[in-house]
Amino acid sequence: MLRYLMRRLVQMIPTMIGVVLITFILFNLVGGSPARMVLGDKASARQLEEFDEQRGFNRPLFFGRTSSTRLYAATDFRRSAGPWTGSSGVVHHTEGFLRLTGPASVPFPLSFAPLPGHRYAWRLEVRTSGEGTALRVRDGTRELPSGTSVQGWTDGVDAAGDPYRPQLEVPAGVTVDLFALTCERAHARPWQSQWSHYLGQVLRFDFGTSHAVNRPVADLLREGIGPTLLLATPILVGETVLSLVLALLCAYRRGRWLDHTVLVACVMLMSVNYLVWIVAGQYWLGYRLDLFPVWGFESWSYLLLPVLIGILHGLGPNVRFYRSIMLEEMNRDYVRTARAKGVGTAGILFRHVLKNAMIPVITNVVLSLPFLYTGSLLLETFFGIPGLGYISVNAINSSDVDVVRAVVLIGSFLYLASNLMADIAYALVDPRVRLS
Amino acid sequence: MSANVQIAVRSGAWAQLWRSTRARWCIGIVLVYVAMALYGEAVYQWHQWHDVVPSYQHQDLDRRFEPPGRDHWLGTDALGRDVLQRLVQGARIAFRVGIITSLIAIPIGVLLGALAGYFGGKTDDVIVWLYSTFAAIPGLLFILAIAMVVGKGLLGVYLGIGLTMWVGVCRLVRAEVMKQRALPYVMAARVLGYSHARIIVRHILPNVLHIIIVAFTLRFPASVGTEVFMSFLGLGVQGEPSWGIMINNARLRLWQGVWWEMTFVTLALFLLVWAFNLLGDALRDALDPRVRSQRT
């Protein structure tokens, strides 16, 4: 048994890595940095940069020595002078370069003062008309030979602790044509990437902070789990009990009108959209008949209507599934034996079939346990129950990536855990599973 | 020879399907919706082509909240727009979503499922890993997260639903292909020296086609339903009359006694999903002998 358990655990690891990888691809690779979306158009470049720094978005994706930065807005000089507009001693030529005439000492137009502890790599493409032009960067002054591209590095802060701005020194009588200038963030440790940052977060169970409400995600989740469980547990229990009873009744009266009616009703229940249940329930039961409160989370009575709707919505597929399991069991040999012994239909159903059918039933229930956690997005949203579903929908609406990612990740891990639980239950009940 | 037998079985299945009154009704209803969606598409394209404000967006503030009558068969909404025309456009969007998501999901699912089932071994391991990873992520949340990342709009809906829906198809196709691969006709084909690609495409896939058809019929209403509440939550269709948006608009007016928009939209949605669900069941009964034996 222990060996079986270990084997299953080991098998789970690739899937867990897969889940982490998929969330990474989805939110980092496809989604990119949500900084602009989150902070809005009025945010300064520095605020955006700090947002990214905090969430590890300003690093290379998997591996690399450089990554992009907002310190200097790279510009195509054929179009405009970009951030250089207005710099003294700089003239923009529409042929595609900036002309700097000496004597001048021209600091680079930066979006913000370089951040402490950061290292930036500058790459210039220049043509100089004489000797003596120099690029002054943090690690020294560099001669600019004519007609070449030059690289230089700057740290964010100089020895005295002041932010350091790189600048070009142009001697008298010399002109410098600047064709291109790019700035990248340099990284000393290339493995320190977005991926490693994310992996570290996952391993430390650190889910970051929600920017929308500016609180740790873990706190939000802790608050949301209570209402979600209060809503989801009665739904799961009620749904399971009710559909088992109906499935047994159907199996008992197989082919009779009761069976047919329930089956037809199931398909109809399945076909009603969740939305319609919610809107109709709120309108008829909540507003017209005034039986239930419609919105809020103040006492247990606020849960009645959503629970009722949840049960109704889940009933259709469950009854059909359980009924087909019961019928499958009823074709087994042991049922024939029991019948030959003279056991009545009810006895067969309740004493023999139900017990054997419990394995797939339990599996089904265990596998739906993670939904207790994710909660019903729609029910919680439209009944104002401040659970995880409500939090998730709000987070999605405000593109609160950290919250969405945390809920997705935890939901997936819980699913895997419940899968494992189902397997263990299987192996406990049926020794053949362990051997295969 | 096996192909002949197969065709005989298949044509028998279609005949059986057609014999069922319920299935005929469902096909009829679905065809009505198809006609509606095609008409809606034509109207939409015509207005796109002529670059004018579509008639279903035409506002008439003097005729707000008109109950069903001669000018507007299904009444008007809060901005005096014709509910019937918007309903037809909603059907267009529902069909677009149902079809395009299937066009994303079914090729991925069938391809991966067939490869995994046919080759087994390492290929199988990788593909099973891939789909169990996708299956582990909570469904609706995953769809909404994809839509959030891609951006609000129809593209997000297509990708969100399509990129999660293939898992079920893949799993079913893989299981069926594994079963088929063990049958003698595959062995015969291999003895004849046919390539793997030819065996999969020409011999095995026709035999698992029923799985794909049933999967399509059952996934279609599911994607339509998902689109409706994505649009309802404001993450789906933007600026077009999707059923979800119509329900959201009508929900607020329902309290003031404006019942028609809500009633007709929910009815249209229910009928479409119901017909597809029943049709899916009937197809499964007709095409999959294993299930048929269970039902009796």
Side-chain angles (χ1 to χ4, degrees):
Chain A
M1 187 65 206
L2 197 68
R3 266 187 61 197
Y4 172 77
L5 195 66
M6 291 309 292
R7 204 174 66 215
R8 293 290 308 141
L9 268 174
V10 170
Q11 280 169 354
M12 232 172 82
I13 292 171
T15 321
M16 285 171 77
I17 297 174
V19 170
V20 175
L21 195 63
I22 285 181
T23 47
F24 178 73
I25 291 175
L26 185 62
F27 292 113
N28 289 50
L29 200 69
V30 182
S33 166
R36 175 62 73 186
M37 208 156 61
V38 166
L39 299 176
D41 289 336
K42 290 202 184 91
S44 69
R46 190 191 169 114
Q47 283 172 321
L48 297 174
E49 190 88 349
E50 276 170 351
F51 178 92
D52 280 356
E53 175 69 15
Q54 198 186 350
R55 288 167 177 75
F57 271 117
N58 58 352
R59 302 186 189 177
L61 269 177
F62 288 98
F63 176 89
R65 294 191 178 277
T66 55
S67 65
S68 65
T69 173
R70 294 182 177 84
L71 182 65
Y72 166 80
T75 316
D76 184 357
F77 290 137
R78 269 168 298 186
R79 298 249 172 77
S80 71
W84 293 85
T85 316
S87 286
S88 64
V90 178
V91 180
H92 177 233
H93 283 248
T94 44
E95 294 95 280
F97 57 87
L98 299 176
R99 175 159 289 171
L100 287 70
T101 318
S105 146
V106 187
F108 289 173
L110 304 181
S111 309
F112 48 88
L115 297 174
H118 288 200
R119 203 147 191 276
Y120 300 96
W122 296 93
R123 200 168 276 117
L124 291 80
E125 228 173 90
V126 289
R127 190 177 58 202
T128 57
S129 68
E131 299 291 303
T133 312
L135 166 68
R136 188 119 65 84
V137 287
R138 176 73 189 90
D139 59 349
T141 309
R142 208 150 293 185
E143 262 312 292
L144 294 187
S146 188
T148 41
S149 72
V150 188
Q151 248 192 60
W153 306 83
T154 28
D155 283 326
V157 180
D158 71 3
D162 294 323
Y164 193 92
R165 285 168 187 274
Q167 53 186 358
L168 275 174
E169 307 279 353
V170 188
V174 176
T175 56
V176 176
D177 294 342
L178 183 61
F179 287 89
L181 175 63
T182 55
C183 175
E184 279 188 313
R185 169 107 186 270
H187 297 272
R189 286 186 288 267
W191 287 107
Q192 233 179 38
S193 56
Q194 292 189 25
W195 170 242
S196 69
H197 179 87
Y198 179 45
L199 212 59
Q201 270 192 319
V202 172
L203 291 177
R204 277 181 278 119
F205 292 107
D206 163 21
F207 297 112
T209 41
S210 151
H211 63 76
V213 290
N214 210 2
R215 293 177 51 204
V217 174
D219 284 3
L220 287 180
L221 300 185
R222 214 171 297 130
E223 277 165 29
I225 187 76
T228 294
L229 283 179
L230 280 179
L231 175 65
T233 318
I235 292 181
L236 185 69
V237 173
E239 196 178 273
T240 310
V241 171
L242 203 60
S243 27
L244 268 180
V245 169
L246 281 174
L248 271 174
L249 277 175
C250 282
Y252 183 56
R253 313 284 297 177
R254 180 162 42 141
R256 309 279 188 81
W257 69 266
L258 178 76
D259 187 20
H260 285 306
T261 319
V262 171
L263 277 183
V264 168
C266 278
V267 182
M268 290 185 78
L269 286 181
M270 269 166 62
S271 307
V272 179
N273 198 282
Y274 223 137
L275 272 187
V276 178
W277 281 122
I278 292 172
V279 170
Q282 283 185 333
Y283 181 69
W284 286 107
L285 300 178
Y287 172 68
R288 272 299 178 79
L289 300 177
D290 205 16
L291 293 175
F292 307 101
V294 169
W295 207 90
F297 185 65
E298 281 156 36
S299 67
W300 58 273
S301 64
Y302 283 84
L303 287 174
L304 285 177
L305 187 56
V307 166
L308 181 73
I309 290 173
I311 291 177
L312 271 177
H313 181 257
L315 213 54
N318 275 333
V319 171
R320 279 156 55 103
F321 178 62
Y322 293 150
R323 176 181 171 276
S324 73
I325 290 170
M326 306 277 175
L327 292 185
E328 207 171 313
E329 282 299 321
M330 286 181 83
N331 289 330
R332 298 283 165 103
D333 288 343
Y334 70 86
V335 174
R336 199 185 314 135
T337 314
R339 193 160 277 150
K341 268 193 331 194
V343 183
T345 315
I348 290 176
L349 265 178
F350 289 99
R351 220 167 305 140
H352 298 276
V353 170
L354 186 59
K355 215 183 281 175
N356 280 293
M358 272 334 258
I359 301 175
V361 171
I362 288 174
T363 315
N364 191 38
V365 173
V366 170
L367 286 187
S368 51
L369 282 180
F371 297 104
L372 290 183
Y373 177 79
T374 339
S376 171
L377 296 174
L378 289 171
L379 283 179
E380 288 181 13
T381 311
F382 290 103
F383 286 94
I385 296 161
L388 291 170
Y390 187 77
I391 292 175
S392 316
V393 169
N394 277 349
I396 287 169
N397 269 327
S398 54
S399 350
D400 200 339
V401 171
D402 295 77
V403 177
V404 180
R405 190 159 71 179
V407 178
V408 168
L409 212 57
I410 298 178
S412 322
F413 285 160
L414 285 177
Y415 178 83
L416 292 177
S418 57
N419 240 324
L420 188 70
M421 272 163 63
D423 282 348
I424 294 171
Y426 243 51
L428 282 177
V429 177
D430 190 347
R432 283 171 301 179
V433 176
R434 260 174 280 165
L435 298 172
S436 63
Chain B
M1 196 193 88
S2 102
N4 287 337
V5 173
Q6 211 57 48
I7 288 164
V9 169
R10 194 62 43 74
S11 62
W14 289 117
Q16 185 201 338
L17 183 72
W18 191 246
R19 238 177 283 133
S20 142
T21 322
R22 195 197 280 170
R24 275 203 308 253
W25 268 103
C26 291
I27 293 174
I29 293 176
V30 169
L31 285 180
V32 170
Y33 274 97
V34 170
M36 221 158 98
L38 284 177
Y39 171 73
E41 186 69 40
V43 169
Y44 172 76
Q45 293 297 349
W46 191 88
H47 287 292
Q48 287 289 90
W49 181 257
H50 292 266
D51 202 19
V52 287
V53 176
S55 50
Y56 54 86
Q57 301 283 37
H58 180 74
Q59 299 179 5
D60 187 354
L61 293 179
D62 295 334
R63 310 192 65 172
R64 306 162 68 206
F65 302 127
E66 264 186 27
R70 263 183 43 197
D71 286 349
H72 300 286
W73 290 0
L74 300 185
T76 60
D77 71 356
L79 293 171
R81 296 173 295 197
D82 186 57
V83 171
L84 179 59
Q85 290 202 40
R86 292 174 71 77
L87 198 73
V88 171
Q89 290 302 313
R92 166 179 79 88
I93 288 173
F95 267 79
R96 275 196 168 197
V97 169
I99 290 170
I100 292 177
T101 52
S102 302
L103 284 181
I104 298 173
I106 289 180
I108 301 178
V110 170
L111 179 73
L112 292 182
L115 290 179
Y118 185 79
F119 289 109
K122 285 266 187 302
T123 321
D124 190 35
D125 287 344
V126 171
I127 290 170
V128 168
W129 168 77
L130 194 65
Y131 81 59
S132 42
T133 302
F134 269 81
I137 300 174
L140 185 55
L141 203 57
F142 196 23
I143 294 177
L144 293 183
I146 295 178
M148 174 185 95
V149 166
V150 175
K152 291 173 183 176
L154 266 178
L155 185 68
V157 177
Y158 296 149
L159 289 179
I161 303 175
L163 291 181
T164 47
M165 206 169 76
W166 65 271
V167 176
V169 182
C170 178
R171 190 178 277 166
L172 290 171
V173 169
R174 172 179 168 268
E176 191 62 27
V177 169
M178 277 170 107
K179 236 181 274 164
Q180 296 285 331
R181 196 180 66 131
L183 296 181
Y185 78 90
V186 175
M187 179 73 80
R190 296 200 43 192
V191 169
L192 284 172
Y194 291 162
S195 69
H196 290 309
R198 176 169 177 166
I199 295 176
I200 293 177
V201 175
R202 299 279 301 275
H203 298 260
I204 295 183
L205 278 190
N207 284 311
V208 299
L209 197 65
H210 63 276
I211 301 260
I212 302 168
I213 294 173
V214 173
F216 171 75
T217 356
L218 291 178
R219 304 283 157 178
F220 190 96
S223 349
V224 171
T226 311
E227 183 272 318
V228 166
F229 55 66
M230 282 172 86
S231 299
F232 185 80
L233 287 174
L235 285 165
V237 184
Q238 310 284 320
E240 299 269 338
S242 148
W243 286 343
I245 288 177
M246 293 178 74
I247 292 179
N248 197 14
N249 291 340
R251 182 175 65 116
L252 304 169
R253 309 289 170 187
L254 193 60
W255 317 82
Q256 299 162 6
V258 181
W259 54 269
W260 45 91
E261 188 173 10
M262 181 58 97
T263 311
F264 292 124
V265 174
T266 51
L267 211 63
L269 177 60
F270 169 74
L271 215 59
L272 176 67
V273 174
W274 191 42
F276 261 103
N277 276 337
L278 283 176
L279 189 63
D281 282 356
L283 271 171
R284 189 159 51 183
D285 290 350
L287 295 175
D288 195 345
R290 200 169 45 87
V291 180
R292 203 168 1 172
S293 66
Q294 274 175 26
R295 278 177 67 94
T296 47

